[in-house]
């Protein structure tokens, strides 16, 4: 049975969105280029990209609804059904997974009583597993409405979602203050974040993430991880603004992997730990010195 046409927005909503859409389209020499921000705009209205929203985008850009649907279903940041006020994404890509991301996701599923891409009954939290958040320095990472919550554990992640559902203030590890999913969608559509202090709030990437950029600029690379015996440890690089907290590579950190229930994690070592292998190519320790030579 053919699907009925999508319902229209109420007149006052349509008038407001029409004005916003014209502002967005005016930024681009080709109106078709405005499709992605327009999808964020309609998502900011309903919390997801509905058939009504896709028809709205198609009308403004002279596209078919099939063309708009093809784009809206390609990108995971566009919801196709209603969701919660807070999108809680747990990174389960390789590094975050082995550092405890898988454990965090499973604990949250059980704690919230929802599955992947499902929403709690109170409409507050939608849980999903997501791919790399480009924050591997701080694994395992949870993102809430695309704001960073670094070095999480199953327990800290459960406290986060409990606070969200209770209406308590939750502050990201770095970056702008948290806002609702609809508010985030409007910012992604290209409209200014007018909350006091939001624009000034920032947070840099960790030192490991910036190594490639430094090399591309011709700057010196970071000191070797394996240092000569008896050498003094290298001086730590200056942290980026907002990234003063240690990353997961500065183990030991209280990551989920180091929880008693998840013992596989970063191992403790001191600053002067000898990370070289004392055994030679034949497997014997190279003791060196005159005594060793006489023993030969």
């Amino acid at each position: 049975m053919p699907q009925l046409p999508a319902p229209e927005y109420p007149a006052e909503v349509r008038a407001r969105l029409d004005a916003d859409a014209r502002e967005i389209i005016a930024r681009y020499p080709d109106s078709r280029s405005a499709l992605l921000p327009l999808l964020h705009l309609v998502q900011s209205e309903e919390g997801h990209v509905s058939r009504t929203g896709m028809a709205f985008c198609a009308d403004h850009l002279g596209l078919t609804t099939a063309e708009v649907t093809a784009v809206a279903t390609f990108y995971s940041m566009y919801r196709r059904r209603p969701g919660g006020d807070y999108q809680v994404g747990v990174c389960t890509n390789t590094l975050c997974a082995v550092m405890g991301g898988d454990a965090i996701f499973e604990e949250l599923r059980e704690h919230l009583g929802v599955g992947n891409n499902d929403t709690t009954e109170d409409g507050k939290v939608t849980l999903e597993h997501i791919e790399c958040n480009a924050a591997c320095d701080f694994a395992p990472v949870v993102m809430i409405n695309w704001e960073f919550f670094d070095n999480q554990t199953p327990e800290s992640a459960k406290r986060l979602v409990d606070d969200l559902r209770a209406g308590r203030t939750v502050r990201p590890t770095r970056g702008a203050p948290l806002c609702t999913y609809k508010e985030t969608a409007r910012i992604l559509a290209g409209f200014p974040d007018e909350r006091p202090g939001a624009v000034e709030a920032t947070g840099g990437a960790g030192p490991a993430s910036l190594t490639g950029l430094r090399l591309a600029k011709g700057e010196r690379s970071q000191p070797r991880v394996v240092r000569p015996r008896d050498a003094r440890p290298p001086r730590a690089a200056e942290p980026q603004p907002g990234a003063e907290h240690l990353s997961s590579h500065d183990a030991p950190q209280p990551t989920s992997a180091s929880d008693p229930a998840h013992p596989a994690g970063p191992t403790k070592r001191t600053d002067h730990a000898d990370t070289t292998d004392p055994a030679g190519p034949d497997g014997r320790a190279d003791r060196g010195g005159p005594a060793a030579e006489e023993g030969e």
Side-chain angles (χ1 to χ4, degrees):
M1 179 179 178
Q3 198 172 35
L4 294 174
E8 290 283 343
Y9 285 122
E12 67 278 7
V13 174
R14 175 76 192 215
R16 174 166 45 79
L17 292 178
D18 281 340
D20 288 340
R22 287 191 292 269
E23 181 178 340
I24 291 172
I25 294 170
R27 303 172 190 159
Y28 301 92
D30 183 348
S31 63
R32 188 187 183 106
S33 300
L35 178 54
L36 296 183
L38 276 186
L39 286 170
H40 283 300
L41 174 66
V42 297
Q43 185 158 255
S44 73
E45 183 63 34
E46 300 182 82
H48 70 290
V49 178
S50 64
R51 292 174 56 235
T52 300
M54 286 190 281
F56 174 87
C57 294
D59 289 345
H60 271 276
L61 300 178
L63 302 174
T64 66
T65 53
E67 289 174 310
V68 175
T69 301
V71 174
T73 56
F74 181 81
Y75 294 104
S76 61
M77 287 181 72
Y78 300 121
R79 289 176 175 172
R80 294 299 311 281
R81 59 181 181 176
D85 293 334
Y86 300 98
Q87 186 91 4
V88 176
V90 181
C91 181
T92 54
N93 215 333
T94 305
L95 182 57
C96 277
V98 299
M99 294 293 288
D102 284 344
I104 292 174
F105 182 73
E106 291 304 320
E107 291 263 357
L108 287 180
R109 284 182 61 180
E110 182 177 349
H111 183 67
L112 296 172
V114 298
N116 185 47
N117 280 324
D118 286 342
T119 303
T120 54
E121 292 182 357
D122 58 8
K124 292 290 186 180
V125 171
T126 297
L127 177 67
E128 68 169 345
H129 75 80
I130 52 180
E131 296 302 319
C132 185
N133 288 322
C136 298
D137 291 36
F138 309 112
V141 174
V142 171
M143 295 195 86
I144 302 178
N145 293 349
W146 314 115
E147 298 294 347
F148 289 106
F149 291 80
D150 303 326
N151 299 123
Q152 292 297 298
T153 72
E155 291 305 316
S156 68
K158 286 188 285 189
R159 286 195 298 271
L160 277 176
V161 296
D162 287 347
D163 287 343
L164 291 173
R165 300 182 73 183
R168 291 188 284 267
T169 300
V170 171
R171 301 185 186 281
T173 310
R174 52 204 163 96
L178 195 63
C179 58
T180 66
Y181 190 83
K182 289 182 180 181
E183 291 169 334
T184 301
R186 183 168 178 82
I187 295 169
L188 291 172
F191 293 97
D193 188 343
E194 297 178 348
R195 295 173 298 158
V199 176
E200 292 77 15
T202 185
S209 292
L210 297 175
T211 297
L213 177 61
R214 286 194 295 268
L215 292 175
K217 290 181 175 180
E219 299 175 10
R220 294 182 60 185
S221 61
Q222 290 294 296
R224 295 172 57 198
V225 174
V226 179
R227 298 187 294 274
R229 200 170 294 182
D230 299 326
R232 297 181 63 183
R235 185 176 179 180
E238 291 295 325
Q240 295 294 308
E244 288 81 3
H245 64 295
L246 297 177
S247 75
S248 297
H249 296 282
D250 298 308
Q253 291 294 308
T255 64
S256 62
S258 60
D259 284 352
H262 309 285
T267 57
K268 184 175 182 179
R269 65 180 179 84
T270 63
D271 288 341
H272 298 281
D274 182 7
T275 57
T276 58
D277 185 356
D282 59 357
R284 297 181 298 171
D286 180 12
R287 302 182 186 279
E293 293 174 4
E294 291 175 4
E296 297 292 336

